[in-house]
Amino acid sequence: MRYQNLLHEFLDNAPVLDSSLCKRAPLLSVSQLESILPNFKRKNGYLKLEAALRYVRDGAASPFEAQAAILFGFSCYKGGAGFSNFSLNRRIILSRRAKHMLQKNYVVADLLFEPNDGGVPVIVECQSKLIHDNKASYLAYADRALALETMGYHVVLLTYATMSSLKAWHSVVEHIRKKLNYSKPRQPQDFELRELDLRRNVLIDWKTLGF
């Protein structure tokens, strides 16, 4: 019963959730899941949960960001792009010049990729349809991208349409690899099938999950 009590304790202390999937605070953090995992060691599903935790990341603020993180972060053997050195919703303190441009002290990057020697850090901004339909929001993002470029970041604006197109997605992945000075990871012979299977399970309407 100890593992059940631990799980109930975490859930009881979780914040009240908004009805919108995009605004829900996480019930548990990765570190919390890792801390309670040993209590499930003799239970069915333990090995699957342990394996899944290797691919879980804190910080996604929307289903779009979570989907992008999965496609970027899963290994090639899981059908992903094989990136590992990135974080979600990282706060970036602005330089004096960038502060003047944006009239703020910091911004939060949707996905921030750390480069190898000789590369440049890459920020991927997940662009929703709402931003494209709203001229003021779109211009604000353009100013933000320019300010970050003055600080040495390379900014990639990723739309859901681009992520959904396999050809466009491959172009984005290769572009980011070059900017980061990453070599292309080794891929299994059946990578194309693995990639299609991952995308079929990830690029869905997440509001339907569990129903």
Side-chain angles (χ1 to χ4, degrees), residues 14-20 23-27:
V16 177
L17 301 182
D18 185 274
S19 60
S20 169
K23 297 179 181 178
R24 291 183 179 178
L27 290 174

Side-chain angles (χ1 to χ4, degrees), residues 4-32:
Q4 291 178 328
N5 292 335
L6 284 168
L7 184 57
H8 285 307
E9 180 182 345
F10 281 125
L11 295 179
D12 288 342
N13 293 326
V16 177
L17 301 182
D18 185 274
S19 60
S20 169
L21 178 64
C22 295
K23 297 179 181 178
R24 291 183 179 178
L27 290 174
L28 299 170
S29 67
V30 175
S31 61
Q32 286 174 319

Side-chain angles (χ1 to χ4, degrees), residues 29-38 46-57:
S29 67
V30 175
S31 61
Q32 286 174 319
L33 284 170
E34 289 173 341
S35 70
I36 66 174
L37 182 62
Y46 168 80
L47 293 179
K48 289 184 178 180
L49 178 58
E50 183 182 43
L53 273 176
R54 299 171 192 161
Y55 295 94
V56 177
R57 295 174 184 270

Side-chain angles (χ1 to χ4, degrees), residues 67-194:
Q67 289 166 316
I70 291 171
L71 296 183
F72 277 122
F74 271 36
S75 72
C76 294
Y77 288 89
K78 295 290 185 181
F83 292 97
S84 59
N85 199 9
F86 71 93
S87 55
L88 290 151
N89 284 285
R90 173 85 71 84
R91 179 180 290 196
I92 298 176
I93 304 300
L94 297 176
S95 66
R96 178 177 296 181
R97 183 180 180 186
K99 287 178 182 178
H100 286 310
M101 294 175 66
L102 300 180
Q103 296 300 302
K104 57 179 64 176
N105 294 321
Y106 69 89
V107 297
V108 178
D110 291 345
L111 289 87
L112 174 60
F113 293 77
E114 302 293 344
N116 283 335
D117 291 342
V120 297
V122 172
I123 292 173
V124 172
E125 297 281 64
C126 296
Q127 301 283 283
S128 70
K129 185 175 183 297
L130 178 63
I131 290 173
H132 283 283
D133 290 345
N134 186 311
K135 183 177 180 180
S137 296
Y138 185 79
L139 291 175
Y141 260 87
D143 289 341
R144 169 186 164 115
L146 180 58
L148 288 167
E149 293 275 2
T150 67
M151 294 176 60
Y153 293 95
H154 179 70
V155 180
V156 174
L157 303 181
L158 179 68
T159 65
Y160 193 86
T162 297
M163 188 170 69
S164 299
S165 165
L166 191 58
K167 185 176 181 179
W169 171 252
H170 287 164
S171 296
V172 169
V173 168
E174 289 307 310
H175 174 70
I176 293 174
R177 280 202 185 109
K178 289 180 181 178
K179 289 294 182 180
L180 295 170
N181 197 27
Y182 282 8
S183 58
K184 188 174 182 177
R186 183 177 180 181
Q187 296 177 339
Q189 290 185 345
D190 61 346
F191 171 74
E192 291 182 1
L193 294 176
R194 295 175 188 235

